[in-house]
Amino acid sequence: MIIANWKMNGSRRSVATWIEVVSNNVNIKKINPCIFCPPTCYLEYARRLIDENSSSIEIGSQIVNHSFQDESLTGGISSKMLKDLGIKFVLVGHSEQRNFLKESKNVITKKIEEALDDELSVIYCIGEDIDTKNKNETHLFLSEQLDVLGQLQSTHKDKLRSITVAYEPIWAIGSGLNAEKVYIEETHQFIKKYINDHLGWSHLRIYPAVIYGGSVNLDNCEEIISSTDVDGLLIGGASLNSETFYKIYNLS
Ligand code: PGA
């Protein structure tokens, strides 16, 4: 799974150019989905262009809101709306949303549950800040973020296969300082084992997919993805350039 996360960037024009260039140059393998997450306002437009190009690029949403029972939410976007648009993937728990939008674990749990109810595949983002890393407390920090998956109601446990974990150390996001391969491997192994041993995943007889994000670029992608513990990449800045993105996908 290789994901382009455009964050709050782009225009109708750049979306159209990107879809055309990537569609014409990417060799998409079924086992390795190629997912485009444009800003929400371009989701419908991107969906249409991808269909017109008969492209196998999938669309993901960077955002989803959960419903507040009978309350209304101006500006909200529900998982039902995303499903209605033919969106298959959604990012939940990105550190920028945790930090700037003050998303609590409770909110994140509800978002995941509603997304799973609406048959979306969830990319659940986790990652430690630099202080936590320096104090050697990364595993403890990540286990607390992973415990959200243990809190899903039992009806959602059957859908665990629809969850991918994206490990994105906060200090690596947008900094140009990707984590080193051995650190990524060791952390991905920890995440897979923790989910399997503590969060009721073992009955699935598969380890969860864990992808890496944080300053992935054309120079470091091959080394990172070559690890058997890395099941994909979540790419921010480097995904904005269509040529860079399709080259990274084709190398993965
Ligand atoms: P980056 O962003 O590749 O620009 O570091 C990754 C992300 O936040 O998903």
Side-chain angles (χ1 to χ4, degrees), residues 95-239:
S95 58
E96 289 157 7
Q97 295 178 2
R98 289 182 196 256
N99 291 341
F100 300 133
L101 305 181
K102 306 281 174 243
E103 274 188 357
S104 66
K105 284 186 187 159
N106 196 21
V107 164
I108 290 172
T109 308
K110 285 186 184 152
K111 286 183 173 194
I112 295 175
E113 288 182 340
E114 288 186 20
L116 293 176
D117 279 342
D118 288 314
E119 286 151 29
L120 300 177
S121 290
V122 172
I123 319 297
Y124 177 50
C125 304
I126 61 170
E128 82 285 4
D129 55 38
I130 193 66
D131 286 348
T132 303
K133 176 177 186 278
N134 290 342
K135 281 193 252 157
N136 276 329
E137 288 176 357
T138 297
H139 288 189
L140 177 65
F141 188 90
L142 296 180
S143 61
E144 285 171 6
Q145 291 188 323
L146 288 169
D147 284 342
V148 160
L149 301 180
Q151 280 159 23
L152 299 178
Q153 285 174 13
S154 55
T155 44
H156 298 96
K157 296 259 167 73
D158 299 342
K159 298 181 180 150
L160 288 175
R161 278 174 199 275
S162 302
I163 299 176
T164 297
V165 174
Y167 170 58
E168 296 201 297
I170 297 172
W171 48 271
I173 294 177
S175 66
L177 295 171
N178 62 286
E180 287 185 8
K181 187 179 175 189
V182 350
Y183 187 79
I184 297 173
E185 279 180 335
E186 191 254 323
T187 312
H188 280 221
Q189 282 163 13
F190 166 76
I191 293 168
K192 290 179 189 217
K193 191 163 168 12
Y194 187 84
I195 293 177
N196 211 47
D197 293 352
H198 299 278
L199 303 179
W201 204 291
S202 51
H203 71 283
L204 295 178
R205 296 183 202 290
I206 50 153
Y207 280 104
V210 182
I211 65 175
Y212 171 79
S215 294
V216 174
N217 59 37
L218 202 44
D219 295 330
N220 61 27
C221 65
E222 256 186 303
E223 191 194 3
I224 295 171
I225 200 75
S226 68
S227 165
T228 50
D229 297 305
V230 178
D231 303 305
L233 302 168
L234 176 51
I235 310 164
S239 72

